[in-house]
Amino acid sequence: MELKIKPWRIETTDGSLETKDFRESIFCQANGYMGMRGYAPEDRKVNNYSRAAFLAGFYEYIRPGITDMVNQPDVSSTTLLANGIDISALPKEGFKQVLNMRDGTLYRCYTAEDTQGRKTHVAVTRFLSMARRHVAAFRFEVTSVNHAGTITIETGIDSAVENLPISDNQLNENTETSRLWGEPEVHTGGLYMETVVSKRGVAAEYRVIGNKSAVLNHGETAVLDKIVAIYSFRDEGDPRSMAIQAADTAATFGFDALLAENAEAWDALWNTADIEVDADEALQGAIRYNVFSLIQTAPHNDPHASIGARGLSHGRYKGCTFWDTEIFMLPFYLFTNPATAKNLLLYRYHTMQDAIESASRFSLTGARYSWMASDTGFEQCETWDTGCCEIHITADIAYAFGRYIEVTGDEDFFAQHAAEVYIQTARYWASRFTYDAADDRYNLLFVKGPDEYCGVTNNNLYTVKMAAHNLQLAISAMERMGQGFLNVTDEEINRWREIASKAVVRYDADTCLYHQDDVFHLLEPINPADYKDDNTPLYHRISFDRLQRYQVLKQADVLMLMALFPKNFTDAQKQAAWSHYEPKTLHDSTLSFGAHALMAATLGIAGKAEDYFYKSCFLDLKNVMANTAHEGIHTAALGITWQALIFGFAGLWADGDGLHCDPKLPQWIRGMRFRVFHKGRPCQIRIKHGEEAQINQHIGT
């Protein structure tokens, strides 16, 4: 399916059944509090789980200890009748669907024709308010094109919704649904429902403005507005009364006033997040789509929720949060909306006690963050080797706290939150390394790095280096916090120093090559081109077990580490890593293209940088990996695309030395303009070919 990608709009004229799931992913909408896939309110549902809508942080248990992000009541449910005939069942022509990224509205229109040749034009506009995050609004415009007749608009809330839990194993397809909701309490204009297990409630109210039935002459239009308000157990107060009040207030404002204030809220967000490129309009539109999707998926005002691997567009991976948030997405928020970045980190801080208990369950000390987390910090991954061994996420989280402090200079956050995270995670690493007395060094055994194809291994470079950095953050924190903080002893600090300095790192000084781990060089070499001829993951054709014995990578590993610490490696080391690992990488994860684009841009490898960037930037819009329809929007790819553009091509970096910019613009981007925050100040960056970057640090917000 081809989309028309314009600087501020994504459009399609393909309304076929074959592209329905893809369109629902691409045209999903969210405002950080709620999200809805891009389905048509007036279409008839084929099951109770596909018309999915979600609330950030709303999970329920599907079995002991394991949660799923809950599919919410369908507040859009509507039936359109023309002369008593359901329009959804009629043939349609002139279909058009438009996502306006400037104000977040979704518009869809078509003309339906019945067996008597009577044509009825339908236009539906939907937005989830960025100004009132509990409010969504719909406008139905039904026009009698060539006949006089009765138009009826029946609307309400569909409570018959279910979940279709998806296995962590990407090769398994589940067909068993879970009914997580009890019977609804229904009243005129709304309902209240609670989940069966935990009694977690949601209240949804709707108000209708306009006539539900009208007799129209040729060319006349019936207009009905539906205003919705949603509150849940996660909000402070009674969800029922708050939803009623919010719906009544929003209805008093009306659709047009709500749309105007929503547009104003979006303008403020775009003011700090937009990236203007002097390039072709499809690239400009795709870049904005990445930014737009990042903006709308973040729980901006909620320090107890984070972002799932598919945001609010799909329930893949049970809606859980991975390292995707801290390593791939957080930099975008850190530089464009630091308050949102802070809240994402507070989610980790507020689940730290769960992380401490999790470490204890592994017979370890300190805080061990889970590979997959939901509304708690307890492990949701049911694949034993990944859930038990992909432990770098603990250091990833500490790294993200460190970057936040480094870029914002938020000393209160450091003292009140970050220092504690550094120390509790350092305690975990001190108990996780194994001392080798014979060689006086520390091994990190039985781990899985970002390259998940090499299997469980020893001394994965990425994990070792990130853990050592985590230990250094804790040591520095203690130097600032002073003796007695969290009962840290000198003995503990000395042990952290010793582990950080003696952790095993495999490095060949003659070739400047860092080795990924202890065993990668022992695996069977293959030529990836002999096995893979497209962008779909190879595990669909070769057993995952077999892949773990081939000398191939799923995604960036050593190169990912170098992207996180650009000043810690020489150009020769980066080039050696690229030459060795890039040809062996299969890019079977959507996280991989952007990371390679970033590194290729840094190294000045223009052709590779362009290829990888386009794949990452258009990953969902062009369904590059053929999984957007049934998996939703890939939020980590959105974030690493932004990093490739800003850290790679624009050459921006901020650390203790300040904010600086060393552009490496490709020929197909003639110039760029964007804004970032540094140390609390908004800065405007302008870049043109052949000119030094201009950094204006004295602009208004």
Side-chain angles (χ1 to χ4, degrees):
M1 172 182 172
E2 287 292 328
L3 297 169
K4 292 182 180 178
I5 304 172
K6 299 186 176 182
W8 284 104
R9 298 154 72 92
I10 307 297
E11 302 179 2
T12 184
T13 55
D14 183 348
S16 65
L17 183 62
E18 291 75 18
T19 65
K20 177 175 176 291
D21 288 343
F22 177 71
R23 284 184 282 114
E24 288 189 2
S25 288
I26 292 297
F27 292 99
C28 69
Q29 290 167 288
N31 64 5
Y33 179 83
M34 68 177 93
M36 299 179 189
R37 284 176 60 79
Y39 48 80
E42 73 278 13
D43 280 355
R44 302 281 68 80
K45 66 180 184 180
V46 296
N47 53 54
N48 288 333
Y49 58 82
S50 60
R51 290 167 64 91
F54 305 103
L55 299 183
F58 197 124
Y59 299 84
E60 179 56 287
Y61 291 98
I62 53 175
R63 50 187 166 274
I66 300 299
T67 62
D68 202 13
M69 188 165 65
V70 179
N71 188 10
Q72 298 293 321
D74 180 9
V75 297
S76 73
S77 183
T78 301
T79 299
L80 303 181
L81 303 173
N83 301 304
I85 301 173
D86 187 344
I87 289 176
S88 69
L90 299 177
K92 299 174 179 62
E93 62 182 20
F95 178 89
K96 185 176 183 179
Q97 188 159 315
V98 180
L99 176 65
N100 184 334
M101 295 182 287
R102 186 178 284 279
D103 64 6
T105 55
L106 178 62
Y107 173 82
R108 193 184 65 265
C109 67
Y110 55 84
T111 300
E113 182 176 2
D114 65 18
T115 55
Q116 298 182 39
R118 294 176 295 189
K119 294 184 177 182
T120 304
H121 186 264
V122 174
V124 181
T125 304
R126 180 182 88 175
F127 67 91
L128 279 56
S129 176
M130 271 293 183
R132 304 169 187 242
R133 296 181 188 276
H134 296 273
V135 172
F138 306 79
R139 170 164 285 176
F140 300 92
E141 300 172 275
V142 186
T143 302
S144 175
V145 177
N146 64 352
H147 62 92
T150 301
I151 299 298
T152 304
I153 305 175
E154 301 173 349
T155 193
I157 301 174
D158 181 6
S159 64
V161 292
E162 297 177 326
N163 273 43
L164 182 69
I166 303 171
S167 171
D168 295 346
N169 185 335
Q170 299 186 45
L171 298 178
N172 292 345
E173 292 191 14
N174 179 39
T175 58
E176 296 183 8
T177 60
S178 294
R179 172 72 179 179
L180 301 180
W181 294 107
E183 290 301 313
E185 301 173 12
V186 180
H187 58 268
T188 302
L191 57 74
Y192 175 78
M193 299 171 68
E194 287 185 348
T195 58
V196 174
V197 177
S198 304
K199 306 303 179 184
R200 296 170 176 175
V202 67
E205 295 285 324
Y206 72 96
R207 304 291 181 263
V208 171
I209 304 169
N211 295 322
K212 297 181 181 180
S213 183
V215 178
L216 303 182
N217 292 317
H218 292 215
E220 291 184 335
T221 300
V223 179
L224 183 139
D225 295 336
K226 180 180 184 180
I227 312 299
V228 173
I230 302 172
Y231 280 81
S232 83
F233 77 101
R234 299 191 69 254
D235 300 301
E236 293 184 7
D238 174 32
R240 300 174 182 86
S241 60
M242 291 190 294
I244 290 171
Q245 181 179 357
D248 289 342
T249 302
T252 301
F253 269 70
F255 185 94
D256 292 320
L258 291 171
L259 179 58
E261 67 176 13
N262 168 70
E264 186 176 346
W266 268 105
D267 280 345
L269 291 165
W270 280 116
N271 186 51
T272 60
D274 190 27
I275 303 172
E276 295 180 74
V277 294
D278 184 2
D280 68 77
E281 69 172 20
L283 180 61
Q284 175 68 86
I287 289 170
R288 283 207 174 106
Y289 183 80
N290 280 259
V291 172
F292 169 82
S293 299
L294 284 166
I295 291 174
Q296 70 170 3
T297 200
H300 297 279
N301 304 312
D302 191 343
H304 294 276
S306 189
I307 305 172
R310 299 296 178 266
L312 295 170
S313 76
H314 200 277
R316 184 77 178 94
Y317 297 113
K318 303 190 284 282
C320 286
T321 299
F322 294 73
W323 70 314
D324 303 27
T325 302
E326 284 74 28
I327 297 301
F328 293 85
M329 289 179 269
L330 191 87
F332 165 77
Y333 304 111
L334 176 56
F335 282 95
T336 64
N337 193 338
T340 297
K342 181 177 181 178
N343 277 335
L344 290 170
L345 294 174
L346 283 173
Y347 158 79
R348 294 297 194 181
Y349 178 80
H350 289 140
T351 59
M352 185 169 59
Q353 290 306 312
D354 295 344
I356 290 172
E357 185 175 336
S358 295
S360 178
R361 293 179 183 182
F362 281 86
S363 301
L364 299 168
T365 59
R368 178 197 186 276
Y369 281 96
S370 299
W371 181 242
M372 292 173 60
S374 56
D375 55 341
T376 72
F378 295 112
E379 187 61 71
Q380 299 298 305
C381 181
E382 298 175 274
T383 306
W384 74 267
D385 58 336
T386 302
C388 292
C389 303
E390 198 145 3
I391 58 174
H392 61 78
I393 187 168
T394 295
D396 297 332
I397 290 168
Y399 171 89
F401 273 80
R403 286 295 292 151
Y404 174 83
I405 300 299
E406 201 169 31
V407 173
T408 65
D410 189 341
E411 292 302 315
D412 288 341
F413 186 79
F414 165 79
Q416 296 169 15
H417 303 100
E420 186 177 356
V421 170
Y422 298 156
I423 287 158
Q424 295 292 11
T425 51
R427 284 172 165 163
Y428 166 72
W429 291 115
S431 64
R432 185 58 173 79
F433 276 89
T434 300
Y435 182 59
D436 176 2
D439 291 332
D440 187 27
R441 60 184 184 177
Y442 286 87
N443 290 293
L444 198 53
L445 307 176
F446 213 67
V447 297
K448 184 184 282 286
D451 169 25
E452 297 170 344
Y453 277 176
C454 72
V456 177
T457 187
N458 296 327
N459 296 320
N460 168 257
L461 179 76
Y462 178 95
T463 310
V464 169
K465 284 284 193 179
M466 291 295 284
H469 176 68
N470 192 159
L471 292 167
Q472 292 291 353
L473 287 171
I475 293 167
S476 297
M478 285 308 303
E479 291 173 352
R480 297 173 62 184
M481 299 302 290
Q483 282 188 331
F485 183 68
L486 293 180
N487 299 314
V488 175
T489 64
D490 289 341
E491 182 181 2
E492 266 193 291
I493 297 173
N494 290 334
R495 179 168 167 77
W496 296 343
R497 285 197 180 97
E498 183 176 46
I499 294 173
S501 64
K502 295 182 180 179
V504 173
V505 171
R506 306 292 184 192
Y507 177 65
D508 186 339
D510 292 335
T511 61
C512 295
L513 181 66
Y514 279 94
H515 292 276
Q516 180 172 298
D517 55 37
D518 288 357
V519 302
F520 186 75
H521 65 287
L522 300 176
L523 301 177
E524 180 182 345
I526 63 169
N527 178 16
D530 294 338
Y531 295 82
K532 188 172 181 179
D533 55 7
D534 59 20
N535 293 310
T536 57
L538 195 56
Y539 55 71
H540 289 297
R541 282 173 271 175
I542 295 179
S543 164
F544 189 82
D545 176 74
R546 186 68 186 93
L547 281 171
Q548 294 186 87
R549 299 192 302 279
Y550 283 138
Q551 198 178 111
V552 292
L553 291 83
K554 182 181 181 183
Q555 61 198 50
D557 195 303
V558 174
L559 289 172
M560 192 70 230
L561 176 70
M562 292 178 169
L564 298 181
F565 296 96
K567 290 187 174 182
N568 290 13
F569 300 92
T570 67
D571 289 344
Q573 290 167 341
K574 294 174 185 176
Q575 184 60 61
W578 177 273
S579 299
H580 187 73
Y581 295 111
E582 187 271 342
K584 305 176 191 298
T585 305
L586 297 175
H587 310 291
D588 283 355
S589 165
T590 56
L591 283 60
S592 193
F593 296 129
H596 281 80
L598 195 167
M599 289 305 297
T602 300
L603 292 168
I605 307 173
K608 289 284 189 178
E610 178 178 6
D611 179 52
Y612 285 130
F613 181 77
Y614 268 79
K615 286 178 179 177
S616 188
C617 189
F618 289 89
L619 185 89
D620 288 311
L621 290 171
K622 294 193 175 182
N623 200 18
V624 170
M625 296 186 73
N627 59 0
T628 298
H630 62 274
E631 286 197 5
I633 299 301
H634 297 80
T635 54
L638 305 171
I640 196 63
T641 297
W642 183 90
Q643 291 189 55
L645 188 62
I646 302 302
F647 298 158
F649 296 129
L652 183 83
W653 192 250
D655 52 24
D657 296 331
L659 182 72
H660 50 89
C661 199
D662 180 19
K664 296 178 176 61
L665 283 188
Q667 292 300 314
W668 36 276
I669 298 180
R670 295 173 290 275
M672 289 175 59
R673 184 173 66 180
F674 58 94
R675 288 184 174 186
V676 295
F677 282 92
H678 181 246
K679 303 293 186 182
R681 294 186 300 177
C683 309
Q684 183 166 273
I685 316 294
R686 294 174 181 266
I687 302 170
K688 287 186 178 181
H689 268 296
E691 300 180 10
E692 290 187 1
Q694 299 178 19
I695 304 178
N696 182 358
Q697 300 190 25
H698 302 284
I699 63 170
T701 57

